[in-house]
Amino acid sequence: MDGDSEASRTVVTVTDHEAIRVLTLNRPEARNAIDVPMRERLLEELQRGTGDPHVRAIVLTGAGGTFSAGGDVRSMEGAGPDAVRARLAPVHKAVRLIATCGTPVIAAVEGAAAGLGVSLAAVCDHVVAAEDARFVAAFGKVGLVADGGLLWTLPQRVGMGRAKEMLVFGRTVPAPRACEIGLADSLAPPGEALAAALGLAADAAALAPLSVAAAKRLLARNDHSLKRLLESEREEQAALFGTADFAEGRAAFAERRPPRFEGR
C-alpha cells in the first residue's frame, strides 16, 4: 500500500467496543480539519458501520482533544465550482446517512466543534459535550455559507433565532449554553465525553434495533404533516408487530428479564 493510501486509511480510525463502533476523526496535527480524504473515509466507515447488523450504535469523536476545526480551508484554495461540488458530495451523503440510517449515532465533542464539525455533530442523534467544549459556525468569517446540512439541523435543534446568532452573527457557544439551548444534549467532565457517549451508546444498543430504525426513519421525514406521519407510523408499526424482536420483547416483559434482541 502506498503512502497516500495509508494516510487516507488512517484519517478516520475505527474501534469496536462490543456492539458499539467508535469512529475517530484523526488529523490531530490539523485539529481534525476535514479534508477530502477524511470526507471520503468517513463516508466509507459510516456506510460500513450502518450496514453491519452487529453494530448497534456508532460514536463519532475527534482525536487529540478536539472534535473538529471544520472544513480544511487550506485545501480549498483555487477550488472551482466543480471541485466544490465534489468536496460536498461525500459530506452530503454522510449527513443523509447519519440522519436516516437505523443505527443511533452519538457525537462525543471535546475542545472545539467548528464549521463543518458543528454540522457533523448537529446531525447526530445525541451530542455529548465536554463542559469546556465550544461550538462555532462562523462560516461568514471565511466568506462561505453553512454546509453539511447545518441550515436544516441547527434551526431544528435550537430554533431560528438562536441559529441566526451562530450563522449570521458568528457567535461562539460554550458547552453549557449549547446544552441549555439544545445544540448539545448532555455534558460530561473535560476529557470524559467519549466515555459518556459510550455509556449512552450501550443504552441505545440494548434496544430493539428494528424499532430504533423505524423511529429514526419517521423522525427524519421532512413532511411533518400529522396525517402523513400517522400513515407512516401505521405502516412501520404494522411491520414491527411481525418481528422476532417484538415477540422477544413481549416475552421478556412478561418474564421480567432483559430482552435479547437480534434485529430480525
Side-chain angles (χ1 to χ4, degrees):
M1 182 178 292
D2 62 41
D4 289 341
S5 297
E6 181 66 23
S8 175
R9 193 173 65 82
T10 59
V11 291
V12 176
T13 61
V14 180
T15 308
D16 285 337
H17 299 255
E18 296 184 351
I20 302 164
R21 179 157 295 175
V22 178
L23 304 181
T24 303
L25 306 177
N26 189 40
R27 294 183 69 211
E29 74 287 352
R31 299 175 65 240
N32 302 322
I34 305 168
D35 60 4
V36 171
M38 181 181 280
R39 293 162 189 243
E40 294 172 346
R41 188 66 179 176
L42 178 60
L43 175 59
E44 290 173 5
E45 293 301 344
L46 284 168
Q47 290 171 330
R48 188 171 289 114
T50 57
D52 186 339
H54 298 102
V55 175
R56 297 286 183 86
I58 292 172
V59 175
L60 179 62
T61 192
T66 296
F67 186 73
S68 174
D72 189 348
V73 176
R74 293 181 180 179
S75 69
M76 299 177 189
E77 185 175 355
D82 289 341
V84 172
R85 294 185 183 98
R87 290 175 64 89
L88 285 175
V91 170
H92 285 180
K93 290 178 182 177
V95 166
R96 284 195 298 268
L97 185 57
I98 293 170
T100 62
C101 72
T103 308
V105 184
I106 300 168
V109 178
E110 296 278 355
L116 184 54
V118 179
S119 304
L120 289 176
V123 75
C124 290
D125 301 306
H126 189 102
V127 178
V128 181
E131 292 166 349
D132 58 353
R134 60 199 181 279
F135 299 79
V136 58
F139 288 83
K141 290 186 177 180
V142 294
L144 296 175
V145 69
D147 55 17
L150 193 60
L151 291 162
W152 184 74
T153 54
L154 191 60
Q156 289 191 55
R157 278 188 165 272
V158 306
M160 187 61 72
R162 291 182 179 122
K164 288 181 178 180
E165 286 184 17
M166 295 184 70
L167 298 173
V168 176
F169 298 98
R171 300 280 191 266
T172 296
V173 181
R177 175 63 175 164
C179 197
E180 183 180 306
I181 65 177
L183 177 53
D185 300 296
S186 59
L187 296 176
E192 296 297 322
L194 178 57
L198 286 170
L200 286 164
D203 292 340
L207 300 177
L210 298 181
S211 174
V212 171
K216 285 197 61 175
R217 280 194 298 272
L218 291 169
L219 288 168
R221 290 181 59 95
N222 58 16
D223 178 357
H224 296 293
S225 73
L226 180 60
K227 179 177 182 293
R228 295 206 176 188
L229 176 64
L230 291 174
E231 290 171 353
S232 297
E233 173 191 289
R234 179 189 61 212
E235 298 309 311
E236 293 283 3
Q237 197 74 302
L240 289 171
F241 261 69
T243 64
D245 276 354
F246 179 53
E248 166 63 8
R250 294 198 317 274
F253 180 81
E255 297 165 16
R256 298 186 178 182
R257 61 170 174 79
R260 297 181 292 274
F261 295 122
E262 298 180 2
R264 57 186 181 86

